[in-house]
Amino acid sequence: MKYPIYLDYNATTPCSPEVIEEMIPWFGQHFGNAASKSHPYGWMAEDAVETAREQIANLIGAKPKEIIFTSGATEAINLAIKGIFEHYRGEKQHYISCTTEHKAVLDTLDHLQSKGAEVTYLPVNQFGEIDLDLLNSSILPHTKMIALMWANNETGLIHQMDRIKEIAEERNIILFTDAVQAVGKIPLDIKGIHLMAISAHKMYGPKGVGAMYVRHNHPLPKPLALIDGGGHEKGFRSGTLNVPGIVGFGKAAELRSKNQIVEASRLENLRNQLESKILEIEGTTVNGNLQNRLSHVSNISFGGVEGVELLQRVNKEVAVSSGSACTSISPKPSHVLAAMGIDPDLGRASIRFSLGLNTTESEIIFAAEYIKKVVETLRKS
């Protein structure tokens, strides 16, 4: 086994060997600019980009023309939310989200508030679930968007997206979803989704490339561009395309299309094995909805220990986190766990385990035993 054992796949994933192999020629041998329409170098790059666009569309059940490439999911989130705000600039605007969204969404909505928009943040229950009746009743005449993630990055909770889509459709409101943790992990039905953010590096592709899904053939408005300078990507996002990254993104999507269901079953078995062993430790609790979550994620609280020291000790041999990579250095308890009503001390002493393609049973056995020893040592000290 390689140490420390990596159980932080929700933070990032390694590029699959097939992805790396597919990307390499596009750094040197095929170096053309996909916007160069007048010669074979550009044509070849453009063809590669369009192939990747089709591969990603196939993974989520979209049309290739509905995929807009970005530098990552954070840019896609900003483009989707701020782009709609810009479309309605000058009008009274209201947005609905929830307290457990990723910081990329929360911070973007905070920015809109500073510009005069109203934002309603729905509370969640102890399992991280929103009240769908409250969602429906929170809609105002000037509500422009519902922004709710498909699956939570810290607890693995899968929101009731089918019903959320129905509400948005019934009320004729744009529905945006951060689907970063869901795409490639669970089958998705995008019918009823208007805008969606996707990231390559969460699904064994390269960092620095993502996409925004934009529903076509629908009367609701589309985002206005935030970056000007050439009209690339159908006018949504100007800038020279990252051809090697996009090629890798496409290959990663193709691979996930083939093995996501089988892999999810394997990881669920390993995740359950990890939980059963760790829950033998007195004072441990799994956070979230245990029936409706991603198969590879487990968020566990450890009572009777100090959070920072727990993470420091565990990470010597098992690479894990307390939540989102974006806030991993914060001494504050996770905002997701806090929103679920979990005690701050217990929130700080919580670990998110996220398994992936390279996770083995022997790693799970070692991780569980090692964590048991760490907790026992800390409680005695």
Side-chain angles (χ1 to χ4, degrees):
M1 292 187 292
K2 180 181 179 181
Y3 297 97
I5 290 167
Y6 189 74
L7 295 180
D8 200 19
Y9 283 83
N10 275 14
T12 194
T13 60
C15 275
S16 295
E18 300 94 325
V19 168
I20 297 171
E21 183 180 358
E22 196 84 4
M23 291 173 64
I24 286 174
W26 299 94
F27 286 105
Q29 183 181 355
H30 308 308
F31 58 87
N33 186 331
S36 298
K37 308 289 187 180
S38 59
H39 54 67
Y41 290 90
W43 301 338
M44 185 177 294
E46 183 182 26
D47 285 346
V49 166
E50 294 311 311
T51 296
R53 206 185 302 274
E54 185 173 348
Q55 290 168 320
I56 295 160
N58 288 340
L59 175 61
I60 65 171
K63 300 170 184 175
K65 67 180 179 180
E66 296 176 315
I67 303 299
I68 304 301
F69 289 114
T70 65
S71 64
T74 297
E75 184 189 340
I77 288 167
N78 276 261
L79 175 54
I81 297 174
K82 291 179 181 175
I84 292 298
F85 177 81
E86 289 298 322
H87 178 91
Y88 287 110
R89 180 174 283 277
E91 297 184 29
K92 191 176 182 180
Q93 300 190 43
H94 175 241
Y95 294 75
I96 299 174
S97 188
C98 84
T99 53
T100 54
E101 289 291 309
H102 191 278
K103 284 293 185 180
V105 170
L106 296 178
D107 288 353
T108 303
L109 290 171
D110 283 349
H111 176 82
L112 263 57
Q113 281 186 294
S114 73
K115 300 296 182 180
E118 301 171 35
V119 181
T120 295
Y121 295 100
L122 300 173
V124 298
N125 63 18
Q126 66 191 56
F127 305 111
E129 302 161 323
I130 62 169
D131 183 330
L132 295 178
D133 290 333
L134 181 59
L135 167 62
N136 203 13
S137 64
S138 297
I139 295 172
L140 304 173
H142 55 288
T143 301
K144 304 303 183 188
M145 174 186 284
I146 296 170
L148 291 168
M149 66 195 337
W150 205 303
N152 189 273
N153 55 304
E154 295 193 22
T155 66
L157 171 82
I158 301 172
H159 276 303
Q160 299 178 56
M161 196 54 68
D162 286 344
R163 181 61 188 130
I164 293 169
K165 289 188 289 186
E166 289 175 1
I167 292 171
E169 289 282 281
E170 289 165 2
R171 306 297 292 272
N172 199 35
I173 293 171
I174 295 167
L175 175 57
F176 163 71
T177 184
D178 165 8
V180 166
Q181 298 293 350
V183 173
K185 315 290 177 56
I186 57 175
L188 303 181
D189 178 4
I190 60 169
K191 183 180 180 182
I193 300 292
H194 300 97
L195 300 166
M196 184 166 74
I198 316 170
S199 177
H201 81 100
K202 304 292 190 179
M203 47 187 280
Y204 308 95
K207 297 172 183 65
V209 60
M212 178 179 69
Y213 160 77
V214 183
R215 182 177 175 184
H216 280 253
N217 300 322
H218 194 278
L220 284 172
K222 297 174 178 58
L224 296 184
L226 302 182
I227 301 174
D228 299 312
H232 306 74
E233 290 301 277
K234 303 175 179 64
F236 285 105
R237 195 266 187 186
S238 292
T240 301
L241 290 177
N242 173 8
V243 177
I246 289 170
V247 167
F249 191 1
K251 185 63 177 180
E254 180 186 80
L255 293 172
R256 299 312 298 159
S257 296
K258 295 176 181 178
N259 63 15
Q260 65 177 335
I261 294 176
V262 173
E263 182 62 12
S265 177
R266 184 184 79 88
L267 293 179
E268 183 174 18
N269 289 333
L270 290 177
R271 191 271 316 275
N272 292 344
Q273 186 175 348
L274 176 68
E275 281 185 352
S276 65
K277 291 182 178 297
I278 289 180
L279 290 177
E280 292 173 1
I281 305 170
E282 186 178 351
T284 54
T285 309
V286 179
N287 301 311
N289 186 320
L290 304 191
Q291 281 71 50
N292 186 35
R293 57 176 169 160
L294 297 170
S295 61
H296 68 288
V297 181
S298 179
N299 190 300
I300 301 178
S301 293
F302 297 82
V305 296
E306 199 278 320
V308 173
E309 194 170 5
L310 173 67
L311 267 180
Q312 289 176 342
R313 294 284 189 95
V314 169
N315 276 324
K316 290 179 179 179
E317 296 291 347
V318 183
V320 292
S321 67
S322 59
S324 167
C326 304
T327 57
S328 60
I329 62 170
S330 173
K332 298 179 180 179
S334 154
H335 75 280
V336 173
L337 300 185
M340 292 163 59
I342 293 172
D343 178 84
D345 288 336
L346 203 54
R348 278 187 286 267
S350 298
I351 293 177
R352 178 190 68 181
F353 301 92
S354 47
L355 287 56
L357 278 175
N358 298 329
T359 306
T360 64
E361 185 175 9
S362 58
E363 288 180 331
I364 292 299
I365 294 170
F366 174 87
E369 292 302 321
Y370 177 72
I371 290 165
K372 282 183 183 180
K373 292 176 183 177
V374 168
V375 174
E376 289 171 1
T377 300
L378 291 176
R379 286 177 176 171
K380 289 176 183 177
S381 62

